[in-house]
């Protein structure tokens, strides 16, 4: 069964910490995405990548960065976590023009 | 600008009743359209998708959706709802602006009464 795996289901971090959210896919997909999901706002695209070492900003990139050193792995980095980054983070991957496969999500709480 | 609107934030139906969830999009070209379902604490699961061809699309779990270009709509339907269908439903449009990505609606939360 094809999978997108997010390394943590729940995380609690302190304000100012550097936070890494990891995502791995086993489908050899070119494209990978990071979204955050907040009640009433739906899913908002943070960053995406269409190839190794390539990245593009989504709609809300401020306060985040990403890394894609290998095709199967796409990491989201919060350089200095803040309370307004408390959210559910969803990773997805897709082949070109294809549907997304989502991970189970990471619920991050910043205190 | 591209956008997706799901006008109903919450919908409540009785088990066995029919269901229709509304989705309207704004996109200049022929859209790729999707419906996803999210159970509590889970990621999103693809229910169905429309790329081209027959405008009535069948999906998993007994769901279907109809693409109406004249109304810029892609409404999701199910003839008889089961209690396990209680979840949040997201409509999305795939846009190609150099690279291919999705725009999601804000979701509709479905409650099913026994």
């Amino acid at each position: 069964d094809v999978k997108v795996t997010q390394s943590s289901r729940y995380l609690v971090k302190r304000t100012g910490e550097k936070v890494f959210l990891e995502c791995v896919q086993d489908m050899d997909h070119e494209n990978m995405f990071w979204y955050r999901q907040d009640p009433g706002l739906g899913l908002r695209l943070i960053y995406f990548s269409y190839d190794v070492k390539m990245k593009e900003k989504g709609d809300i990139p401020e306060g985040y960065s990403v890394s894609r050193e290998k095709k199967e792995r796409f990491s989201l980095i919060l350089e200095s976590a803040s309370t307004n980054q408390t959210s559910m983070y969803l990773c997805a991957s897709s082949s070109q023009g294809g549907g997304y496969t989502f991970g189970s999500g990471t619920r991050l709480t910043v205190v | 600008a591209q956008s997706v609107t799901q006008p109903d934030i919450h919908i409540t139906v009785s088990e066995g009743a029919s269901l229709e969830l509304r989705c309207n999009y704004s996109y200049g070209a022929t859209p790729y359209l999707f419906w996803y379902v999210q159970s509590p604490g889970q990621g999103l699961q693809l229910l169905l998708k429309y790329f081209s061809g027959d405008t009535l699309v069948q999906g998993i779990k007994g769901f279907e959706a109809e693409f109406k270009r004249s109304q810029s709509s892609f409404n999701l339907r199910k003839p008889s709802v089961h209690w396990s269908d209680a979840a949040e439903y997201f409509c999305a449009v795939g846009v190609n602006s150099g690279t291919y990505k999705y725009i999601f609606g804000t979701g509709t939360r479905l409650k099913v009464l026994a």
Side-chain angles (χ1 to χ4, degrees), chain A residues 34-51:
Chain A
W34 276 106
Y35 286 84
R36 64 176 283 176
Q37 181 181 14
D38 301 288
L41 298 177
L43 278 74
R44 294 179 291 166
L45 181 62
I46 304 171
Y47 267 97
F48 62 103
S49 167
Y50 53 90
D51 201 353

Side-chain angles (χ1 to χ4, degrees), chain A residues 88-105:
Chain A
M88 169 73 91
Y89 290 87
L90 292 167
C91 176
S93 72
S94 75
S95 57
Q96 193 61 24
Y100 284 10
T101 300
F102 280 90
S104 297

Side-chain angles (χ1 to χ4, degrees), chain A residues 19-85:
Chain A
V19 181
F20 293 85
L21 303 184
E22 306 288 345
C23 176
V24 177
Q25 52 101 357
D26 65 0
M27 295 164 285
D28 202 36
H29 283 168
E30 299 90 354
N31 306 320
M32 296 188 74
F33 307 83
W34 276 106
Y35 286 84
R36 64 176 283 176
Q37 181 181 14
D38 301 288
L41 298 177
L43 278 74
R44 294 179 291 166
L45 181 62
I46 304 171
Y47 267 97
F48 62 103
S49 167
Y50 53 90
D51 201 353
V52 176
K53 297 191 184 294
M54 305 299 289
K55 60 186 179 184
E56 287 202 24
K57 294 179 180 179
D59 301 318
I60 52 164
E62 296 79 18
Y64 303 94
S65 62
V66 290
S67 172
R68 194 168 181 200
E69 296 296 319
K70 294 184 178 181
K71 190 174 185 180
E72 68 269 19
R73 186 180 297 271
F74 191 38
S75 302
L76 180 70
I77 303 157
L78 287 66
E79 297 289 343
S80 178
S82 64
T83 55
N84 63 13
Q85 293 178 308

